Amino acid sequence: MAREDAVRCLRCLLYALNLLFWLMSACVLGVAAWIRDSLNTVLTLTAHTRLEEAAVLTYSPAVHPVIIAVCCFLIIVAMVGYCGTLKCNLLLLSWYFCSLLVIFCVELASAVWTYDEPAVQRSDMISLKSRMPNYGLQRYQWLTHTWNSFQTEFKCCGVIYFTDWLEMTEMEWPPDSCCSDPYPGCARHAHYHDLSDLHQEGCGPKIYAFIRGTKQLQALRFLGVSIGVAQILAMALTLTLLWALYYGRKSPELDSTAPPPDDSSPLAATLGPSSSCNHTNKGCAGAAAVAKPSDLQFEMERLS
């Protein structure tokens, strides 16, 4: 009974852990896709600068293809673990344990290999100004779209201040994406009437803060550590469940091979001295004495 209760408890814990694997893997994939859009924008604006290298070093562990593939594979492994736990199948549970061990080793190796502190300073933000003169040109429409997207999403304008657009380009006013409430011609209206309608903070500090780490990146790191801890716990519980199921199936086999009880005593009492005289002559003599009256009676009936 105690073993059955322990197995039931282990199965419930593994059900909960597999559910956590599904939820956390889905969250990692969703947050990674969310970060990837902003990261692509930052990489476009910081191309061929130290800021680009720093951004790659910071976010490569979070959006690396290996990590994405591992999360997808972990969802499949969790399904196999759920089926193995439901059916108490030793083969599926063994495959589940080995898969978790391989995934954990890959995650650990990837984290160690890609971890590096980005060497970036605030003075590196000045290099972003070299990307501004190409804004609005026909052959650099992709760069124009990137600047507009970044300024709208991060609510910033220019590199240090919105006047960078007037300094680095031939524009008379900043782009419309610098407006707090963007609409066609809003930047021109704000430039001549009310400058407070423009974003007052530059995009350089925003990019610097993004490279140093965002809340989304911290959430991914927390999820990564949580998945690793859950995998260790799941492997320990799976080993315990395998041990309980294996010896639970082995015990009935041992009971079935045990020798049957010795029923020779009642049989000997029934059959007489020929089957019970195995110990001493005294016992055999007593048995013979008990048997004599019946033998004499049998002879008398036969003669008559």
Side-chain angles (χ1 to χ4, degrees), residues 2-297:
R3 179 178 297 173
E4 293 178 357
D5 293 338
V7 169
R8 189 178 300 109
C9 181
L10 289 172
R11 292 174 66 188
C12 291
L13 290 174
L14 283 175
Y15 289 148
L17 286 175
N18 286 322
L19 180 60
L20 282 178
F21 285 147
W22 289 333
L23 293 178
M24 290 190 292
S25 298
C27 289
V28 168
L29 294 176
V31 176
W34 184 15
I35 287 181
R36 200 174 187 87
D37 292 337
S38 300
L39 179 61
N40 290 335
T41 302
V42 171
L43 293 178
T44 302
L45 295 179
T46 60
H48 309 295
T49 63
R50 293 180 58 184
L51 294 174
E52 180 188 19
E53 298 176 2
V56 171
L57 289 176
T58 302
Y59 286 91
S60 58
V63 297
H64 198 278
V66 174
I67 301 300
I68 304 302
V70 164
C71 289
C72 295
F73 184 60
L74 183 59
I75 295 176
I76 301 175
V77 171
M79 293 180 181
V80 174
Y82 178 84
C83 295
T85 305
L86 181 64
K87 297 182 179 181
C88 293
N89 190 298
L90 296 180
L91 181 60
L92 288 178
L93 289 174
S94 300
W95 188 88
Y96 175 67
F97 172 81
C98 295
S99 299
L100 285 180
L101 182 60
V102 171
I103 291 175
F104 180 78
C105 293
V106 170
E107 290 174 344
L108 185 62
S110 179
V112 173
W113 178 52
T114 57
Y115 177 78
D116 195 2
E117 284 291 337
V120 59
Q121 300 176 357
R122 288 186 176 272
S123 58
D124 296 327
M125 296 184 300
I126 306 300
S127 60
L128 293 174
K129 290 185 176 182
S130 61
R131 312 288 291 175
M132 300 180 72
N134 296 325
Y135 181 89
L137 299 181
Q138 187 65 31
R139 55 181 299 189
Y140 290 102
Q141 288 298 318
W142 53 272
L143 183 60
T144 302
H145 175 72
T146 302
W147 268 114
N148 290 333
S149 299
F150 190 85
Q151 292 185 143
T152 302
E153 179 180 356
F154 287 85
K155 295 179 171 53
C156 58
C157 185
V159 176
I160 305 300
Y161 198 53
F162 70 86
T163 54
D164 293 335
W165 288 110
L166 309 181
E167 175 187 348
M168 300 302 298
T169 66
E170 298 179 356
M171 300 169 59
E172 297 181 3
W173 49 79
D176 291 336
S177 57
C178 288
C179 297
S180 301
D181 184 18
Y183 61 88
C186 65
R188 181 176 181 274
H189 180 272
H191 182 71
Y192 287 110
H193 295 87
D194 189 4
L195 293 177
S196 62
D197 291 339
L198 300 175
H199 297 307
Q200 302 299 310
E201 188 176 1
C203 295
K206 298 283 188 178
I207 293 178
Y208 180 80
F210 180 85
I211 293 175
R212 299 299 297 178
T214 60
K215 293 181 179 180
Q216 293 86 351
L217 182 61
Q218 294 176 0
L220 277 180
R221 289 172 177 171
F222 174 77
L223 287 172
V225 174
S226 300
I227 289 177
V229 173
Q231 285 174 344
I232 295 175
L233 183 58
M235 286 188 288
L237 293 176
T238 303
L239 276 181
T240 307
L241 182 60
L242 284 170
W243 178 85
L245 293 176
Y246 176 76
Y247 283 97
R249 295 182 181 182
K250 192 174 181 181
S251 296
E253 296 178 1
L254 294 176
D255 295 340
S256 63
T257 56
D262 189 8
D263 296 335
S264 59
S265 297
L267 184 62
T270 305
L271 297 178
S274 60
S275 60
S276 61
C277 298
N278 295 324
H279 302 290
T280 61
N281 294 331
K282 183 176 180 180
C284 292
V290 174
K292 277 184 179 181
S294 61
D295 293 342
L296 291 176
Q297 184 178 1

